[in-house]
Amino acid sequence: SDTIRFFDRTEFFCVYQDDALSLARQYYKSLETVKYLEDAESTIPSLCISRAMFAHIVRDCLLHRKLRVEVYGKKEERDRDFILMKTASPGKLGLLHDVVYSAATPMDDSTVCMALKLQTSTNGRMVGVCCVDPSARRISLYEFEDTDRFSHLESLIVQVGAKECLLEKASKESNVSTDMSAVRSILETCNVVCTDRKRTEFQTKDLNQDLNRLLGSSFFPTGFELKLLAQQSLAVVIKYLELLNDESNFGQFKLELMNLSTFMRMDGAAVQALQLMPSGLSATAPVSNLPSLSASSTRRSNLYNSGSLFHLLNRCKTSVGTRKLRRWLQQPLLDITEINRRHDIVDILIEDVFARESLQQLLKSTPDFDRIIRRLHRRSAKLHDCVLLYQFVLRIPMFVDAFSSSSSSS
């Protein structure tokens, strides 16, 4: 099964049946931790998991093993029956976001969920794609013509770094089914989880109203035109991620109509051959060898033990910088003006040693703004988050001095 089911027992969690045996082998490297519950008809394997270990397993299942997670609990302590309380998938962390990215775990990657709508005709194949990054509150839309090998689509999947893709359930009689099989094969090659959704979820009946609520005053830019396939893809993502259920999302999203020619096209084979990105780190060591909850130790271990170009270049001092570096490597620029602009900034920092070292020291204590802003919007921020923001504001004049010295020297 691609779903792990946890049962919240307040002080710890339990898993049963095949989930208990699988997790015991995967994370404890032994079946001795498994207990067997007996009744009149059968014997049920069970495994008790501490809350700290639960967070570690959920993080690994969602980020690395590409599994779905369900958490069952009781509404009230006196209730006898368990009900489904939380669900999560690689592209939809939902209520488990704070468990996956705890205070000790840097949010070094974005959780992008994409949807795809395919239309086949005698003239060719049209593909509509919507990519949503809930953390950055960004919606990106694409619609383009592709070949029977879907090379443009594969390049796009590599560029956006999607974790999960929503597809319409294709009937066997449909002409799209053969092409959809090819699309699923590409998604599997790119390590993207496929999720089937009903045809009705792709309907665009209330899409304009939904976008008005999510985008607010920044609705459609001048000359902006939404094409049908992109609209249908956008509609299903909004429903799947339940963006309208969270009022903190209202008026916060930005909408972008993207062009495939903006970035260099690379398929999955090219990315693997060039070793641009890490192939995926799975925390499957025995409990005694599990990484500590220290973010710095885990990060250093991952940083120097991987042979990818990303880990070779990643000397970022903040999680925001790490996520941007990952995105830049996945989306190599073709615009010579923008490339030269980046090179000019690098040249300034190379030449001005004082400015470079000053910025490095200042960035070490810079908080993850995306994470804090997310908590503020959801009204779940704590005093510690406010203190971090206050401390950063006090250091802003130091950043200004460092940039001013660079500007004057250049």
Side-chain angles (χ1 to χ4, degrees):
S1 174
D2 65 347
T3 303
I4 305 295
R5 297 171 178 85
F6 296 88
F7 292 81
D8 190 349
R9 298 284 186 177
T10 306
E11 295 183 359
F12 56 91
F13 290 85
C14 286
V15 289
Y16 301 97
Q17 300 286 13
D18 293 340
D19 291 343
L21 300 175
S22 173
L23 296 186
R25 293 190 185 100
Q26 189 80 16
Y27 297 97
Y28 294 89
K29 302 301 181 183
S30 171
L31 294 179
E32 293 182 0
T33 54
V34 177
K35 297 181 180 179
Y36 292 87
L37 308 178
E38 297 184 0
D39 58 20
E41 299 179 356
S42 62
T43 301
I44 302 175
S46 69
L47 177 67
C48 295
I49 300 171
S50 68
R51 302 195 76 86
M53 190 64 183
F54 165 77
H56 173 78
I57 293 176
V58 167
R59 187 181 308 118
D60 187 51
C61 287
L62 292 173
L63 299 186
H64 303 303
R65 298 176 61 196
K66 306 298 182 183
L67 298 175
R68 306 175 196 278
V69 171
E70 294 179 355
V71 179
Y72 293 81
K74 299 179 181 179
K75 281 189 175 181
E76 297 183 7
E77 189 174 347
R78 64 174 180 269
D79 292 343
R80 295 186 60 185
D81 296 332
F82 283 84
I83 61 174
L84 181 61
M85 304 292 287
K86 301 175 183 178
T87 62
S89 62
K92 180 188 176 184
L93 299 183
L95 296 176
L96 292 178
H97 185 278
D98 291 338
V99 175
V100 174
Y101 292 114
S102 62
T105 307
M107 194 168 67
D108 289 344
D109 197 4
S110 299
T111 304
V112 177
C113 182
M114 67 180 287
L116 185 152
K117 182 69 175 178
L118 180 63
Q119 185 178 69
T120 303
S121 66
T122 55
N123 296 328
R125 295 162 179 81
M126 289 299 297
V127 182
V129 176
C130 172
C131 299
V132 176
D133 184 348
S135 298
R137 286 186 161 86
R138 181 174 58 246
I139 300 174
S140 304
L141 298 176
Y142 307 78
E143 187 160 323
F144 51 90
E145 187 175 355
D146 214 338
T147 65
D148 58 343
R149 295 180 179 274
F150 296 101
S151 56
H152 297 334
L153 175 60
E154 183 174 3
S155 174
L156 172 61
I157 294 171
V158 171
Q159 287 179 8
V160 301
K163 306 295 188 229
E164 184 173 0
C165 182
L166 311 180
L167 302 172
E168 180 183 331
K169 289 183 179 179
S171 61
K172 295 182 180 179
E173 296 79 17
S174 173
N175 293 329
V176 180
S177 59
T178 302
D179 289 332
M180 190 58 70
S181 297
V183 169
R184 289 178 183 274
S185 178
I186 291 174
L187 290 167
E188 183 178 352
T189 301
C190 295
N191 201 24
V192 178
V193 175
C194 297
T195 301
D196 291 328
R197 309 304 296 176
K198 296 179 181 179
R199 182 187 295 265
T200 55
E201 295 187 32
F202 287 81
Q203 295 178 355
T204 61
K205 180 180 178 181
D206 301 320
L207 182 59
N208 284 342
Q209 177 182 341
D210 296 342
L211 282 177
N212 269 314
R213 297 171 72 181
L214 291 175
L215 303 180
S217 59
S218 62
F219 190 31
F220 288 130
T222 305
F224 197 98
E225 180 182 358
L226 272 180
K227 299 182 179 179
L228 179 59
L229 296 180
Q231 286 186 52
Q232 294 173 330
S233 299
L234 174 56
V236 70
V237 176
I238 291 176
K239 295 182 181 75
Y240 180 70
L241 295 180
E242 300 176 330
L243 298 179
L244 296 175
N245 292 352
D246 185 355
E247 293 185 2
S248 66
N249 289 328
F250 294 173
Q252 301 300 322
F253 274 81
K254 294 182 179 179
L255 184 64
E256 304 171 330
L257 185 60
M258 305 299 292
N259 191 331
L260 291 179
S261 62
T262 305
F263 306 109
M264 182 185 298
R265 296 179 184 176
M266 297 185 296
D267 59 14
V271 172
Q272 291 180 6
L274 295 173
Q275 293 183 296
L276 292 184
M277 308 304 298
S279 58
L281 298 169
S282 180
T284 57
V287 174
S288 60
N289 296 329
L290 285 176
S292 69
L293 295 180
S294 167
S296 59
S297 63
T298 303
R299 204 168 181 183
R300 281 195 299 269
S301 174
N302 292 345
L303 184 66
Y304 297 108
N305 292 336
S306 173
S308 67
L309 178 62
F310 170 74
H311 278 92
L312 181 65
L313 297 177
N314 184 16
R315 296 298 183 269
C316 298
K317 304 301 181 183
T318 67
S319 295
V320 177
T322 301
R323 292 194 293 272
K324 181 171 285 291
L325 175 62
R326 182 186 292 269
R327 189 162 60 250
W328 281 6
L329 289 178
Q330 291 173 331
Q331 302 175 347
L333 288 173
L334 294 177
D335 185 350
I336 188 63
T337 302
E338 183 64 19
I339 293 174
N340 285 332
R341 188 184 72 84
R342 290 183 183 178
H343 287 178
D344 290 342
I345 295 174
V346 172
D347 184 58
I348 291 174
L349 293 176
I350 290 176
E351 296 296 330
D352 193 334
V353 178
F354 173 76
R356 183 178 71 248
E357 292 182 349
S358 298
L359 289 173
Q360 286 177 337
Q361 292 299 320
L362 290 170
L363 288 172
K364 284 182 179 180
S365 54
T366 300
D368 189 338
F369 292 111
D370 290 341
R371 178 183 290 187
I372 294 178
I373 291 172
R374 177 188 178 89
R375 290 175 179 166
L376 289 172
H377 280 304
R378 292 195 169 190
R379 299 182 180 180
S380 61
K382 299 180 180 179
L383 178 61
H384 177 67
D385 297 317
C386 298
V387 171
L388 289 176
L389 285 178
Y390 175 73
Q391 291 175 341
F392 176 77
V393 170
L394 294 179
R395 289 194 297 272
I396 289 179
M398 302 179 188
F399 279 95
V400 173
D401 291 342
F403 283 118
S404 299
S405 65
S406 298
S407 300
S408 59
S409 63
S410 60

